Amino acid sequence: MSILSILPAALVISAGQLLLLSVAGLGAARLLLPPRLHAHELTLAPLFGLALLALAGLYGSHAGLTMRQILPLVLVLAGVLLVGALVREWSNRRRWWPGALPVRELAPLLMTMAGTWLLALAPVLTYGTLMPIGHNWDVEFYLPLADYLKDYSALALDQAPPNPLRDLLLTDRLASRAMGATYAQAMADLIVYREAWDSWVPMLALLRALTLAGLYALLREGLRVPKYGALAGVGLAGANGLLLWTTYNSFGMGLGGLALLPAALLCTLLALEEGSRRAILAAVLLLSGISCTYWPMLMAYGAAGLGVGLALLWEHRRDRWGWSQVVGRGVAVLAGGAVVGALAHLRAPDAFFGVFAGQVASMGISDFISPAVIVGSAPFSHLPSQELATATGLETFLVWGGLGAAVLLLVRGVLAGSGRRGLAIGMVGCLLVYLAGLRFVVHFPYGYVRGVSYVNSLLLGVVGAGIAHQVSLSHASHAPRPSPRTVGVPMSVRNRFPWLLLLLLAASSGVASVRTYQVYAGQPGVFGLETVGMRAAVARLDQPGPVAISPAPELRGPYMGALAYALRTRELLGVTATGYQPFVNTRAGTTPPIRHHPRGRRPPANMGWQPRPASGGDGRA
């Protein structure tokens, strides 16, 4: 496939996904968002849709329903919520249309979101096919899960044909995970008539873009950052897409709920400040959506929310009644999130803590990433097989110069770029403590990378606030009195310094992104182009009945994953192994696991096997 064929296909898939999310969430957004967020109803509606689909998919699937049955129920619920919102608005303000930002804000925001979506697709465009990318074993269970759940509920997965991917989903380690973005993807696939293999990269690209809508609302309405600062912040967060986002962390299940984090934090802030039922319910819904999409992300929400709460408590330090109100509203939000997301919370200890307990060398995360990578001034490669070229002296200067510029702008954004300095100090301070704890206390490189991935959009947003403030200073025609720190510094230097910081940050981010792209656009992380050929070959097997895997004794890893995914409606016989666990199925109806895949050991690149062409004559692959 060429770019001209991939891009329209990805656009159609993402458009269908966006349509579903928007339709599912518009009623909830209009019904729950407080008046202060009226202008953001249109841009935040898809996020409420994601939260609703996550909750409906999790609870409905575990109640015995398939995604084909859940989808119409969700749409009916969304219609009821929308009608309720319209009735209330008609009786109060006679307004039928959803609130939208002014064109001068909406247009650049949508352009930035579209650029972020395209940036996330960039590596796939070089491969010539829509396929799962990124260094992530998770593809072996969240992609088949999205397809299985269309026709089988979570309670009926054992009725699917014997297949290593099916049996992997039934293991205790994975069966209890709540993967809400997968549920939303499965429902969207029913609309666009696609398999999860093809739709996952457009889905994650869309969620990366939607993250910016929540981030913009948080900056504008929560921290009261000027328009240009908020746009600069979302631009930095979007541009960071070629660093942490195109590698292991980008196209994995772990970032399925990232889009909900800024919006949930904003609604929590409004709930703590205003105490209205609408704001509290909006925060509860989005918080529960995070629980159902990826439970460990609650730690990042907790850190940012703690900072916001502490800042509000400080504002009310002399008002005992106001202090108690903030505490009571916070308890209401957390209690509501615990109740609505109860199923995800009850299952999380079995699903996650064992995974994050120690180092997993097979994931390639063997060392801590540098702060320069976090802010986007340094290229990123975490696998020894994909080393970055030696940096030149100029590139080294750009890396550390860009980091210094970002730090200065972050400090400026916290201290002066926000209209709510106390909130900015609390949020950024607690996020930095959270990252420091992951780095120096937990001391787990993989967990640290994940934690950075969750919060760097928030930090880069505040850097954007610092950009706006510095530029506004350079445009000031006169000042009442020079600051003691600038006495003796010529005005021309003070005016040009902010622009030098911007130029340095832009140059370092641009070079880092290009270098990272050159590495990861060269070869997909787990599934390679040869696995695409294998899927196409095994799809031609037309003889009914079981498919025997040969040669003996074992086919494992990405090739087996691609083969098993393509033949997930068929029984596979032989000795196979996913990236997690080997399976034996030598006769029909039996697939007992024989042992867990040992942690801390990365299998060879080809898992000891070369891909072999599939033959349809005797039903053997």
Side-chain angles (χ1 to χ4, degrees):
M1 296 177 67
S2 65
I3 293 179
L4 294 179
S5 59
I6 297 175
L7 206 52
L11 184 60
V12 169
I13 293 172
S14 289
Q17 294 165 342
L18 179 60
L19 177 63
L20 174 61
L21 295 178
S22 300
V23 170
L26 184 58
R30 300 186 68 174
L31 198 61
L32 298 181
L33 284 177
R36 183 168 158 185
L37 297 181
H38 162 65
H40 298 269
E41 285 179 354
L42 196 60
T43 52
L44 295 183
L47 303 179
F48 281 89
L50 176 60
L52 275 177
L53 292 174
L55 288 163
L58 175 65
Y59 282 95
S61 180
H62 286 82
L65 300 178
T66 68
M67 295 300 116
R68 298 184 191 276
Q69 297 167 328
I70 296 172
L71 178 59
L73 297 178
V74 173
L75 294 179
V76 170
L77 174 62
V80 171
L81 293 175
L82 182 58
V83 170
L86 291 176
V87 170
R88 186 191 65 187
E89 292 167 359
W90 176 254
S91 62
N92 294 336
R93 296 188 299 266
R94 297 180 178 271
R95 177 175 64 91
W96 288 95
W97 51 90
L101 292 166
V103 175
R104 64 182 180 275
E105 293 187 60
L106 183 61
L109 175 61
L110 292 180
M111 291 176 62
T112 304
M113 293 170 65
T116 299
W117 176 83
L118 187 61
L119 197 64
L121 288 172
V124 182
L125 300 179
T126 66
Y127 305 150
T129 181
L130 283 174
M131 62 178 294
I133 65 174
H135 298 277
N136 200 332
W137 293 116
D138 292 353
V139 291
E140 296 187 4
F141 60 88
Y142 59 68
L143 291 184
L145 180 64
D147 281 309
Y148 278 127
L149 290 180
K150 296 170 186 175
D151 300 298
Y152 303 93
S153 70
L155 301 179
L157 275 178
D158 57 350
Q159 299 176 15
N163 187 293
L165 299 183
R166 181 211 67 170
D167 293 293
L168 178 66
L169 295 173
L170 295 175
T171 60
D172 292 338
R173 178 180 172 184
L174 301 178
S176 56
R177 291 195 179 191
M179 295 177 285
T182 298
Y183 302 126
Q185 179 195 8
M187 292 185 221
D189 287 346
L190 296 174
I191 296 176
V192 297
Y193 299 102
R194 290 281 182 163
E195 291 185 348
W197 179 284
D198 301 314
S199 65
W200 182 243
V201 171
M203 180 76 175
L204 263 291
L206 175 65
L207 294 180
R208 283 286 295 130
L210 291 177
T211 303
L212 303 186
L215 178 61
Y216 185 80
L218 172 64
L219 294 173
R220 289 288 284 146
E221 307 300 335
L223 300 183
R224 296 177 187 168
V225 174
K227 174 182 64 177
Y228 296 109
L231 290 174
V234 298
L236 282 175
N240 196 244
L242 277 178
L243 294 170
L244 291 177
W245 305 107
T246 56
T247 59
Y248 176 86
N249 301 279
S250 177
F251 296 97
M253 175 265 297
L255 289 188
L258 180 66
L260 299 174
L261 182 59
L265 184 60
L266 171 61
C267 290
T268 300
L269 167 60
L270 297 187
L272 296 179
E273 281 190 319
E274 301 176 0
S276 68
R277 286 179 294 178
R278 294 169 63 177
I280 291 175
L281 290 175
V284 166
L285 177 58
L286 294 174
L287 176 58
S288 303
I290 294 177
S291 305
C292 294
T293 47
Y294 197 64
W295 192 86
M297 199 174 292
L298 291 177
M299 292 183 288
Y301 166 86
L306 175 63
V308 167
L310 291 177
L312 292 177
L313 290 177
W314 177 256
E315 291 181 5
H316 292 280
R317 61 188 180 278
R318 294 184 178 90
D319 180 4
R320 182 173 300 179
W321 173 243
W323 196 92
S324 62
Q325 281 187 315
V326 171
V327 173
R329 294 162 184 171
V331 170
V333 170
L334 295 179
V339 172
V340 178
L343 183 59
H345 298 309
L346 292 174
R347 291 172 171 269
D350 296 329
F352 288 105
F353 289 114
V355 178
F356 292 97
Q359 174 65 290
V360 184
S362 64
M363 294 179 179
I365 309 293
S366 57
D367 200 0
F368 294 96
I369 61 173
S370 71
V373 172
I374 297 175
V375 302
S377 66
F380 181 50
S381 175
H382 67 270
L383 289 184
S385 60
Q386 293 183 312
E387 293 291 343
L388 290 162
T390 303
T392 64
L394 176 60
E395 289 174 338
T396 301
F397 168 77
L398 289 176
V399 166
W400 297 110
L403 174 61
V407 170
L408 288 175
L409 292 170
L410 177 64
V411 173
R412 177 60 66 180
V414 169
L415 297 181
S418 167
R420 303 289 301 274
R421 183 170 64 176
L423 288 176
I425 292 174
M427 184 185 78
V428 172
C430 284
L431 287 178
L432 294 179
V433 171
Y434 163 68
L435 293 180
L438 290 176
R439 172 63 176 84
F440 298 106
V441 179
V442 178
H443 204 72
F444 180 24
Y446 167 64
Y448 176 65
V449 170
R450 278 294 176 97
V452 167
S453 301
Y454 302 154
V455 303
N456 76 333
S457 294
L458 300 175
L459 297 176
L460 291 172
V462 180
V463 171
I467 290 176
H469 181 74
Q470 287 292 103
V471 172
S472 67
L473 287 180
S474 70
H475 282 297
S477 58
H478 62 276
R481 181 176 298 177
S483 167
R485 292 170 296 178
T486 60
V487 171
V489 181
M491 180 65 72
S492 60
V493 174
R494 294 203 300 270
N495 287 345
R496 291 171 183 168
F497 182 68
W499 296 102
L500 292 175
L501 287 179
L502 289 179
L503 180 62
L504 188 58
L505 184 59
S508 64
S509 297
V511 172
S513 296
V514 170
R515 294 293 296 273
T516 304
Y517 173 77
Q518 290 173 343
V519 171
Y520 287 99
Q523 174 65 32
V526 173
F527 290 118
L529 298 179
E530 64 276 12
T531 59
V532 177
M534 172 176 280
R535 285 187 67 241
V538 299
R540 293 194 295 269
L541 291 173
D542 53 6
Q543 181 175 339
V547 176
I549 307 298
S550 62
E554 184 176 303
L555 179 66
R556 64 187 306 174
Y559 299 124
M560 193 289 305
L563 183 147
Y565 180 87
L567 296 175
R568 62 191 178 278
T569 60
R570 309 274 291 272
E571 181 180 3
L572 298 187
L573 301 177
V575 181
T576 56
T578 68
Y580 292 97
Q581 188 167 334
F583 297 92
V584 175
N585 186 20
T586 55
R587 70 177 190 272
T590 60
T591 314
I594 56 175
R595 63 180 174 85
H596 282 283
H597 181 65
R599 267 188 204 175
R601 180 174 66 85
R602 182 173 178 81
N606 288 331
M607 311 302 159
W609 294 91
Q610 296 295 330
R612 297 186 173 234
S615 170
D618 58 355
R620 293 177 176 270

